Amino acid sequence: MSDPVILFFILGLIAGLSRSDLKIPGVLYESLSIFLLLAIGLKGGAALAQNNPSALLVPILVVTFTAMLVPVLAFLIAHYVGGYERADAGSLAAHYGSVSVVTFAVGSSYLTRLSVPFEGFMSVFLVILEIPGLLIGVALARWSAGDTRWGVLMHEILAGKSIVLLVGGLMIGYVSGEQGLASISPVFFTLFKGLLAIFLLEMGLVTAGRVADLKKSGIFLISFGVIMPLISAAIGIVTASLLGLSVGGATLLATLFASASYIAAPAAIRMAVPEANPSLSIGASLGITFPFNITVGIPLYYAASQWLLGASL
Amino acid sequence: MSDPVILFFILGLIAGLSRSDLKIPGVLYESLSIFLLLAIGLKGGAALAQNNPSALLVPILVVTFTAMLVPVLAFLIAHYVGGYERADAGSLAAHYGSVSVVTFAVGSSYLTRLSVPFEGFMSVFLVILEIPGLLIGVALARWSAGDTRWGVLMHEILAGKSIVLLVGGLMIGYVSGEQGLASISPVFFTLFKGLLAIFLLEMGLVTAGRVADLKKSGIFLISFGVIMPLISAAIGIVTASLLGLSVGGATLLATLFASASYIAAPAAIRMAVPEANPSLSIGASLGITFPFNITVGIPLYYAASQWLLGASL
Amino acid sequence: MSDPVILFFILGLIAGLSRSDLKIPGVLYESLSIFLLLAIGLKGGAALAQNNPSALLVPILVVTFTAMLVPVLAFLIAHYVGGYERADAGSLAAHYGSVSVVTFAVGSSYLTRLSVPFEGFMSVFLVILEIPGLLIGVALARWSAGDTRWGVLMHEILAGKSIVLLVGGLMIGYVSGEQGLASISPVFFTLFKGLLAIFLLEMGLVTAGRVADLKKSGIFLISFGVIMPLISAAIGIVTASLLGLSVGGATLLATLFASASYIAAPAAIRMAVPEANPSLSIGASLGITFPFNITVGIPLYYAASQWLLGASL
Amino acid sequence: MTSRLSVRKLITVICESCLEEAITSAAKEIGASGYTVSDARGSGAHGLRDGSWPENANIRIEILCDEAIATRILDLLLETYYSHYTMVTFVTDVGVLRPEKFQHRASQSQG
Amino acid sequence: MTSRLSVRKLITVICESCLEEAITSAAKEIGASGYTVSDARGSGAHGLRDGSWPENANIRIEILCDEAIATRILDLLLETYYSHYTMVTFVTDVGVLRPEKFQHRASQSQG
Amino acid sequence: MTSRLSVRKLITVICESCLEEAITSAAKEIGASGYTVSDARGSGAHGLRDGSWPENANIRIEILCDEAIATRILDLLLETYYSHYTMVTFVTDVGVLRPEKFQHRASQSQG
Ligand SMILES: Nc1ncnc2c1ncn2[C@@H]1O[C@H](COP(=O)(O)O)[C@@H](O)[C@H]1O
Ligand SMILES: Nc1ncnc2c1ncn2[C@@H]1O[C@H](COP(=O)(O)O)[C@@H](O)[C@H]1O
Ligand SMILES: Nc1ncnc2c1ncn2[C@@H]1O[C@H](COP(=O)(O)O)[C@@H](O)[C@H]1O
Ligand code: NA
Ligand code: NA
Ligand code: NA
C-alpha cells in the first residue's frame, strides 16, 4: 500500500473528486505514455537478448490460448447475466480480453519493491496479449452482422501507437542488449518509477472523472469490474503454474490477465462497434478494475501465486 | 551570482527583451510547475518524517501570525502612499501576502550551493503561507462591498493546483519517508536543479514580457516592488530569530515572506476582485520583485540572517 | 549501425511509412529541441572554459571561410545543373550552407560510442556555421531583386531560437565551468542520449511524411541530397587537416559541413524568399540528406578522416 | 439542402481563459444544450494576450442555441462580465443539422 | 468589397477526435478541395468532453465548398455517423476570396 | 436581441503559422481593433499540413471589423500573401455586442 507510486494515484483521485483545478496537460499524458511503452519494450527486449527467444514459442502459444478464455467469459457474463446487448457485451469482452500497460508497470514496480524476481520476457506476453482478446470481443459483438472491415481494423490495431512502441522497443532492446542500451538507460530505466508516479497522478484524475458515469451504471457493472479480474487472474495463475513460471512471473501473468485495456481497446471499439456505449466499458475498466487491480488485486495475485506455486514445489 | 540557475533566468530575460522568437511551450511550463510543486512537497514531507510534526504547531502559529502583517502593510502603503483604489491595493496585498514557490526553490538552491543547512520543514511554511495573505488581500479589497462569495473563493484556493500538489507531495513524502521515496528520487530529487533551470529560462521570458507594463506603471510601483520585499524579509528574519531557527532557516523564511505570488494569487484575484487591474500586481510581483529577490534579495537575506543570528548566539 | 539512437530513427521511419497513428506531440518535439540546443551549448561552453578561447580565433576564421564554399557550390549546382530558378536554388543553398544540430548530436554520439576523442570546442563551430551559409543563400536568391529587408532578416536569424539557446548555453557553460554545472548536469548531460533517442523517433516520423514529396521531386533532387553532403564533407575534412584537428574533430567538422538545416533555414527562407517552394529544400534536407548523414555519412566521414589524417601524421 | 437545416444562433465568445468554467456553466443553466471551447490567443483593447503563459491565454467558446436562449446569454455577458473582463462576442445565423439536439434543454427552461 | 467575394458554404462539424481521419478523407473523396481541423473540448447531449484525455477530446472540422458538395457531405454525416457518434454540425454562408481555389476538385467530382 | 447587435464583418484567414506575426500586425496597422488566433491543421491545394511539426502547422486568424477595414485587409492579403503562401480566407456578416469596441482604431485610421 505504501508504494509511493500508488499514493500518487490516490492523490489524483482525491484532487479530482474534490474538484481541484489540477490538470495534467494532455500532451504530458501522451508524452509519458510514449515513454512508458518504449521503456517497457526496451526492458523486455534487453531481457530477451539474454534468453533464447525460440524457447518462448510454447509458452506464447499456451498463454495466447488460455487468454482467449477471458473475453469469451466476459462476453457470456455481460450478455447473459448482465443482460447487455451484443454490442456492449462485445465491447466489454474486448476491453477485458486486452491488457493494460500501466497495470503491468505497477505490478512489476510492486515486485521490484519486494525484491521478488520475475522472468524478463514477461513484457513479451504483454505485447502478445494486447491483440487477440480485442479481436474476439469485436467478433462477438459483430457476430452475424457480418459487415466488419477486418482489414482496416487489423491495421488500426497493429499500426496503433501502443503496439508500435512496445514492439519497436522490444526489437531495439533485443538488438542492442543491456550493454548497448547503457547510454540511454538513465532516461528509460532510472527515471521509470518517478515518471510512472506522475502518470498515475493523471490516472487518478481521470478515474475521478469516471465516478459520475459509474453512479449511472448500477450494481451489475460494478460487480463485473471486480469479479471479472479475479476470474481472469485465476486463469492466469493456473497458466503460469502449467508453464512452470516463478512466483513473480505468475503474479505478473495474473496481473496481465486481470487487467483491462483503456487505451487500445476504446479506440478500436469506437471504430469497429460504434453502436456500443463507450462510457460502459471505459467506466468499468478505468473506474473500477484499474483502481481495484493496482490497490487490492496485485497483492492478492501475489499471495495466491505464492500459495499455489509454493504448494506445487 | 554564478549559480547557473540564475544565469538561465538572465538568458530568458535577454532573449525576451531582444524579441527572440524563443518560446517555452505553455504545456512545458505547466508540466515543469507540476514537477516543482510535487518535488518541493515530497522533499518537505520526507524531512518532516524525521521530525516530530507536533513540535511544529507553535512555529506554524507564530509564522502565520507575523506573516499577516505583510498584506496589511502592503495594502496600507499601496492605498495611502501609492493612492491606489481599494481593489488594486487589495490585489497587491494579496500578491505580496502570498508566496512564490519558485523564489523558495531558488533560495534553497542558493543555500545548498553554499552548503548552508536549513530545517527540512521549511516547505511546510511554504504551504501554510500561501493562503492567509491572499484572503486578507481579498478582504481588504472587498471591505464594505460585502458581496464576496467566500465559499467559492476558499474552494478556488484550497483546491487550487499549487495547494493540492504541495500538500499531496508533503503527505506522500511523510508517509513514505526518504527510504520509500528512493525509487522515485531520480526524477524528483536528482533532476530538480536542471529542471528548475529550464523553468527559470521561461520565467525570464515572461518577465521580459512584463517590462512594457512596467514603463506605464511609474516610479511608485517600481519602488514598491523593491521596498516591500525588504520590509517583509525583515519581519521574516525577526520571526525566525524568535523561533530559534538556523541561519539557513532564517534566510528561507525571509525569502518566503519577501516573495510575491504570481500563480495562485492572480487566478484567485481575477475571480474575487475582477475590477482590479491585473497588470499592476503581476507587473510588480513578476516584473520587479521576482527578479530582485532571486538576484539581489536572497544573498542579502542570507547576509542579514548571518549578522542577526550570529549576533544573537 | 547498432547505435540505439539510430534505431529509434528507423523505428519512427517504419511507423510513419506503415501509417501508424503514432504521433509525437508537437510540444514534446519543441521541448526536446530546446533541451538539445541548451545541452549542446552547455557542453561546448564547459569545454571552452578549459581552453584559451582566443586560440580559437584563427580556426573560426578559416572554418567560416571554407564553409562559405558550400552554399555557393550548392547554388551553382542547383541553378545550372538542376535548372532551378534563383529563388529555389538560393533556398537550397541556404539549407545546405547552414547546419543541422541533430546531425551534429548524432555525430558526437557516434564518436563517444567508439571512444574517439574530439575537441570540446566543436560546438562553437556549430554556432558559427549556422548563419553565414544562410545569408549567402538568401543573397544569391535575391540577387538583383534588391528588396530584401536585411535588418529584419538578421534579427530573425540572430534572435532565432536556435542561436539564442546555443549561444546562451555556451555562455552559461563557459561562465560556470564543469564544476558549476554539476548540479544541473543530471538533466543536461546524463539524460542527453536518451532524450536524443526520443527526438530521433520523431525525426523518423517526420522524414516518413516527406517521402511523398520526394516522389514528385525527381532524380536530380535525390542525387543532390546525397552528393552535396559528400562534397561538403570533403571540404570539411580538408579544412580540419589544415587546422590540425584530431580524427574525431575532423569527423565532426565534416558532419557539420555535410549537414543541412531544417529548422533555422526554413523559417528564415520563408520570410526572406517566400516565392521559393519550401517542400523542395525541406524535402531534400530532411528526406534525403538527414537520413543519409546519420546512417551512412557519419561512419564514412570517420573512415575518411582516419585515412586522411592518419596519412598526414 | 435547406430542407434539412434549421436556423439557429451561433454565439462566439472570445475571452480570457479563466472564464471558461463560469461562462459555460452559466450558458447551460440558462438552457443551452451544449458548448464548444478551443484555445486561442489574440489582441484587443486589453493588449496582447499571447497564451505563452496560462494567465495570459484566451479561449473561444461557441454556443448553438435558439434566439430566446441567445438573448439571455448575451444579457448575462453584458451584465456580469463585460465591464471587467477581456471579452469579445459575436452572433451568426447558422443552419444546423438535427435541430432537435439543441432543443431539449431550451424547452425545459422555457416550459 | 463584395465584387471579389463569392458565396460558398462553410460546414463546421464538432465531433469526437477519433473521427478526424474518417471524416476528412470522406470529404476529400466527395470533392471538397480541403479542410481545416482544430482541437476543441465541450459538452452536449453526450456529456462533458473536456479533452483531458485523448479519448475524451473533440475536434472542430471546417470545410469550405459549394452547395452541391455540401449537400453530399451532410448526407454522409447523417447516414454514417449521426446515430452512433458525438457530433454537431452547422452550415453558414460565407464570402470567399479566390473562389477558384475551392473549385478544381469540386468540378472534377461533378464532371 | 437584434437591437443590441450591430453588423460587422468577420474575416477568417487560415494560413501557415509563420505568418501569425506578419498578418496580425498588418491588420492592426490597417486599423483593426484586435484579432484572435488559434492553432489548426488541415489540407488544401498545398497538400497536407498536419501540424506534427511547427513548420507544418496552420493557424486560424479571426478579425472583426467594419467593411472599410475589411476591404483593406482583403486587399493586403491578396496583394502581399496570396501568391506565395498557403492561405484561405472567408468573410461572414456577424452581429457584435458592444460595437464601440471595434471602432476606436478604425476611426483613427480613417480620420
Ligand atoms: N449547443 C451546442 N453549442 C455548441 N457546441 C455544442 C452544442 N452541443 C454540442 N456541442 C459540441 O458538440 C459535441 C458533441 O455534442 P453531443 O453529441 O450533443 O454531445 C460536444 O462535446 C460539444 O463540443
Ligand atoms: N477586432 C477583433 N477581432 C477579433 N478578435 C478580437 C478583436 N478584438 C478583440 N478580440 C479578441 O478578444 C480578446 C479580448 O478582447 P479585448 O477585450 O478587446 O482585449 C482579444 O485578446 C482577442 O482575442
Ligand atoms: N476547402 C477548404 N475548407 C476548409 N479549409 C481549407 C480548405 N482549403 C484549404 N483549407 C485550409 O487552408 C490551408 C491552406 O490551404 P491551401 O493554400 O489551399 O493549401 C489548408 O491547410 C487548410 O487548413
Ligand atoms: Na485482460
Ligand atoms: Na510574501
Ligand atoms: Na552544411
Side-chain angles (χ1 to χ4, degrees), chain B residues 70 96-99 256-260:
Chain B
V70 173
Y96 282 81
S98 186
V99 293
L256 274 177
F257 274 53
S259 74

Side-chain angles (χ1 to χ4, degrees), chain A residues 108-177:
Chain A
S108 63
S109 154
Y110 176 85
L111 295 176
T112 311
R113 201 179 152 75
L114 301 183
S115 315
V116 177
F118 53 87
E119 288 78 4
F121 52 75
M122 292 308 297
S123 47
V124 178
F125 292 155
L126 171 67
V127 177
I128 301 285
L129 291 180
E130 191 150 3
I131 300 169
L134 234 165
L135 293 181
I136 293 176
V138 172
L140 290 167
R142 282 261 153 269
W143 198 267
S144 78
D147 56 349
T148 312
R149 291 154 72 200
W150 289 100
V152 174
L153 182 64
M154 281 308 294
H155 182 269
E156 161 93 2
I157 298 174
L158 289 179
K161 176 172 94 167
S162 33
I163 293 293
V164 166
L165 291 173
L166 279 172
V167 174
L170 263 179
M171 311 240 284
I172 294 177
Y174 183 71
V175 171
S176 308

Side-chain angles (χ1 to χ4, degrees), chain C residues 1-79:
Chain C
M1 261 306 277
S2 72
D3 187 348
V5 159
I6 303 300
L7 298 175
F8 279 85
F9 177 77
I10 293 170
L11 175 59
L13 205 60
I14 295 173
L17 291 177
S18 59
R19 304 186 160 277
S20 160
D21 72 349
L22 174 62
K23 252 195 189 175
I24 304 291
V27 168
L28 178 56
Y29 168 79
E30 283 174 55
S31 305
L32 289 174
S33 56
I34 291 171
F35 169 82
L36 293 179
L37 290 163
L38 278 174
I40 290 175
L42 288 168
K43 190 154 222 163
L48 260 190
Q50 295 175 328
N51 287 270
N52 177 2
S54 69
L56 281 181
L57 213 74
V58 171
I60 284 175
L61 288 178
V62 172
V63 165
T64 309
F65 183 78
T66 61
M68 285 179 177
L69 292 173
V70 174
V72 173
L73 282 173
F75 181 84
L76 293 175
I77 297 176
H79 192 47

Side-chain angles (χ1 to χ4, degrees), chain C:
Chain C
M1 261 306 277
S2 72
D3 187 348
V5 159
I6 303 300
L7 298 175
F8 279 85
F9 177 77
I10 293 170
L11 175 59
L13 205 60
I14 295 173
L17 291 177
S18 59
R19 304 186 160 277
S20 160
D21 72 349
L22 174 62
K23 252 195 189 175
I24 304 291
V27 168
L28 178 56
Y29 168 79
E30 283 174 55
S31 305
L32 289 174
S33 56
I34 291 171
F35 169 82
L36 293 179
L37 290 163
L38 278 174
I40 290 175
L42 288 168
K43 190 154 222 163
L48 260 190
Q50 295 175 328
N51 287 270
N52 177 2
S54 69
L56 281 181
L57 213 74
V58 171
I60 284 175
L61 288 178
V62 172
V63 165
T64 309
F65 183 78
T66 61
M68 285 179 177
L69 292 173
V70 174
V72 173
L73 282 173
F75 181 84
L76 293 175
I77 297 176
H79 192 47
Y80 293 106
V81 184
Y84 286 115
E85 293 188 20
R86 297 198 78 86
D88 284 324
S91 164
L92 280 168
H95 283 71
Y96 282 82
S98 185
V99 294
S100 150
V101 174
V102 179
T103 309
F104 177 80
V106 174
S108 63
S109 154
Y110 176 84
L111 294 176
T112 312
R113 202 178 152 74
L114 300 183
S115 314
V116 177
F118 53 88
E119 288 78 5
F121 53 75
M122 292 308 296
S123 47
V124 177
F125 292 156
L126 171 67
V127 176
I128 301 284
L129 290 180
E130 192 149 5
I131 300 169
L134 234 164
L135 294 181
I136 293 176
V138 173
L140 290 167
R142 282 262 152 269
W143 198 268
S144 78
D147 57 347
T148 312
R149 292 152 72 201
W150 288 100
V152 174
L153 181 65
M154 280 309 295
H155 182 269
E156 162 91 4
I157 297 173
L158 288 178
K161 177 173 93 167
S162 31
I163 293 293
V164 166
L165 291 172
L166 279 172
V167 174
L170 263 180
M171 311 241 285
I172 294 177
Y174 183 72
V175 170
S176 307
E178 206 156 312
Q179 294 262 310
L181 296 183
S183 64
I184 62 174
S185 72
V187 167
F188 290 105
F189 301 156
T190 316
L191 302 186
F192 188 80
K193 281 197 82 171
L195 295 180
L196 178 63
I198 299 178
F199 194 87
L200 283 172
L201 180 66
E202 159 74 352
M203 295 297 303
L205 288 167
V206 171
T207 303
R210 289 282 154 198
V211 168
D213 283 355
L214 283 183
K215 286 191 194 132
K216 289 186 226 146
S217 55
I219 194 74
F220 170 76
L221 202 64
I222 296 175
S223 326
F224 183 87
V226 171
I227 295 171
M228 196 60 226
L230 293 176
I231 300 176
S232 315
I235 304 177
I237 295 181
V238 171
T239 308
S241 89
L242 286 179
L243 294 174
L245 297 186
S246 67
V247 167
T251 308
L252 276 186
L253 196 66
T255 303
L256 274 177
F257 274 54
S259 73
S261 167
Y262 47 82
I263 296 181
I269 288 292
R270 211 71 202 97
M271 283 297 150
V273 195
E275 65 273 31
N277 173 1
S279 66
L280 273 187
S281 34
I282 304 185
S285 72
L286 196 57
I288 305 170
T289 304
F290 177 75
F292 172 76
N293 273 332
I294 66 170
T295 54
V296 179
I298 292 171
L300 205 70
Y301 311 149
Y302 174 54
S305 303
Q306 272 183 312
W307 176 81
L308 190 72
L309 302 193
S312 68
L313 280 184

Side-chain angles (χ1 to χ4, degrees), chain A residues 70 95-99 256-260:
Chain A
V70 174
H95 283 70
Y96 282 81
S98 185
V99 294
L256 274 177
F257 275 54
S259 74

